[in-house]
Amino acid sequence: MATKFGNLLREIRHTHAELLKDMADKLGVSPAFLSAVETGKKSIPAGWESSIAKAYRLDAMECEKLRTAIDQSAKSVSIDLAHQSAERRGVAVALARQFDQLSDTQLEMIKKSLFVTTNRKKDM
Amino acid sequence: MHSFKAPPMKRADVRQLALKLRRELGMADRLWFPILEFAELALPQMDKNYSFEVVESSELGSSHGLTERIDNQITIKIRDDIYDRAYRDEGRDRGTVAHEVGHYLMHAKSPALHRHFGNSLRSFEDPEWQAKCFQGELLVPKHLVMHMSVSDVERLCGVSRDAAEYQLQLYRAGK
């Protein structure tokens, strides 16, 4: 079963009449690796969003679709902690450690503080 | 030990199936069947529950390919080295892909495969024989090759020399 990202890559190949090997060559990986990313067996490598956008000359709308698919299919998220203050590092590490244990209320609070603009619109 | 028994399909039935597929794709009169494009690009458009994967040998081991059905999802998996050679139009490896397409069409969608104990299967009930037969019939269409040489069949149909010889012998023996 392909992830959303996998399905999008298959759509792109179909549009360009390309096989796995053709796309894998453009991304500098093997067809087996690309296939494993499409089914979620392997993580989506960093930098693929821009490599794909560039290789297939995606327009703004297609790029947005690609970003959404990557967000929905990613198996892990990494946060670059270099050059971050001790306080920020602490928050990131605590969030990663306790993510599974967050209650619905805590999750809601985090969401509200992160997506405050969305909530404002809803309140109007 | 047991094997799986499929609903009976003789060579003539398998040939009809291969020809029907070629007709539906508008390829009844073409020697070269683009098997990889069909398995990778065309089939997913025809069946939303189908997908094609290339897998490392660590996953498939000594198998060259596999057609797998989980619930209603059917996947053809081709080993990476076989895929690379099929992409480079190697006859033997194109044959492997066609073989799995045969399993997809004749067996994966059918719930009728059942375990068979005891005596060896009759060939026309053996899914492996049926898939092997399908790969030959699809890639070497009888109605186009009767007067061709082995070398021409090998080159123009994109099959191994062995496969070209085998199909021509069969056809010339009236099978």
Side-chain angles (χ1 to χ4, degrees), chain B residues 27-86:
Chain B
M27 291 187 173
D29 295 322
R30 301 239 188 117
L31 284 165
W32 183 274
F33 188 87
I35 188 64
L36 209 49
E37 284 78 359
F38 176 69
E40 253 199 80
L41 297 174
L43 260 188
Q45 298 298 313
M46 295 157 77
D47 179 359
K48 293 292 166 203
N49 293 322
Y50 163 86
S51 59
F52 179 91
E53 289 177 27
V54 178
V55 296
E56 286 171 8
S57 13
S58 52
E59 189 177 329
L60 272 192
S62 60
S63 289
H64 292 182
L66 176 76
T67 302
E68 187 179 74
R69 175 177 167 171
I70 297 173
D71 300 327
N72 63 346
Q73 293 289 322
I74 303 170
T75 308
I76 288 184
K77 294 181 174 183
I78 301 291
R79 208 173 72 186
D80 51 2
D81 53 333
I82 304 292
Y83 176 83
D84 280 343
R85 289 198 295 266

Side-chain angles (χ1 to χ4, degrees), chain B residues 2 8 13 32 38 63 72 109 115 118 134 142 157:
Chain B
H2 66 266
D13 305 320
W32 183 274
F38 176 69
S63 289
N72 63 346
K109 303 193 80 162
R115 288 182 170 82
F134 178 84
K142 182 177 180 182
C157 297

Side-chain angles (χ1 to χ4, degrees), chain A residues 13-59:
Chain A
R13 279 205 299 282
H14 191 259
T15 311
H16 291 256
E18 276 189 358
L19 299 177
L20 274 159
K21 167 83 175 144
D22 303 312
M23 184 179 260
D25 283 351
K26 284 185 178 164
L27 295 170
V29 295
S30 71
F33 183 88
L34 175 57
S35 209
V37 172
E38 288 188 351
T39 52
K41 285 179 203 149
K42 288 207 160 87
S43 306
I44 304 166
W48 271 28
E49 188 183 324
S50 60
S51 312
I52 293 163
K54 205 171 148 193
Y56 294 95
R57 301 175 179 211
L58 302 186
D59 63 26

Side-chain angles (χ1 to χ4, degrees), chain B residues 7-160:
Chain B
M9 271 187 95
K10 297 195 170 176
R11 182 168 292 277
D13 305 320
V14 176
R15 183 172 297 149
Q16 271 311 109
L17 177 70
L19 191 58
K20 185 170 165 259
L21 177 64
R22 278 176 161 270
R23 281 199 185 117
E24 279 169 9
L25 298 166
M27 291 187 173
D29 295 322
R30 301 239 188 117
L31 284 165
W32 183 274
F33 188 87
I35 188 64
L36 209 49
E37 284 78 359
F38 176 69
E40 253 199 80
L41 297 174
L43 260 188
Q45 298 298 313
M46 295 157 77
D47 179 359
K48 293 292 166 203
N49 293 322
Y50 163 86
S51 59
F52 179 91
E53 289 177 27
V54 178
V55 296
E56 286 171 8
S57 13
S58 52
E59 189 177 329
L60 272 192
S62 60
S63 289
H64 292 182
L66 176 76
T67 302
E68 187 179 74
R69 175 177 167 171
I70 297 173
D71 300 327
N72 63 346
Q73 293 289 322
I74 303 170
T75 308
I76 288 184
K77 294 181 174 183
I78 301 291
R79 208 173 72 186
D80 51 2
D81 53 333
I82 304 292
Y83 176 83
D84 280 343
R85 289 198 295 266
Y87 182 86
R88 295 199 303 266
D89 295 337
E90 282 286 334
R92 185 165 171 266
D93 305 286
R94 280 171 40 80
T96 300
V97 180
H99 185 99
E100 295 309 321
V101 168
H103 278 311
Y104 165 84
L105 289 171
M106 295 181 290
H107 311 126
K109 303 193 80 162
S110 145
L113 279 192
H114 54 265
R115 288 182 170 82
H116 172 82
F117 296 90
N119 304 336
S120 56
L121 280 172
R122 286 174 294 182
S123 61
F124 58 86
E125 290 175 331
D126 176 359
E128 281 311 309
W129 179 87
Q130 291 177 350
K132 188 169 183 285
C133 179
F134 178 84
Q135 87 183 66
E137 294 292 334
L138 180 71
L139 297 181
V140 187
K142 182 177 180 182
H143 65 290
L144 301 180
V145 300
M146 285 303 276
H147 304 292
M148 282 170 59
S149 68
V150 170
S151 300
D152 281 350
V153 169
E154 180 187 3
R155 188 170 52 88
L156 298 170
C157 297
V159 294
S160 69

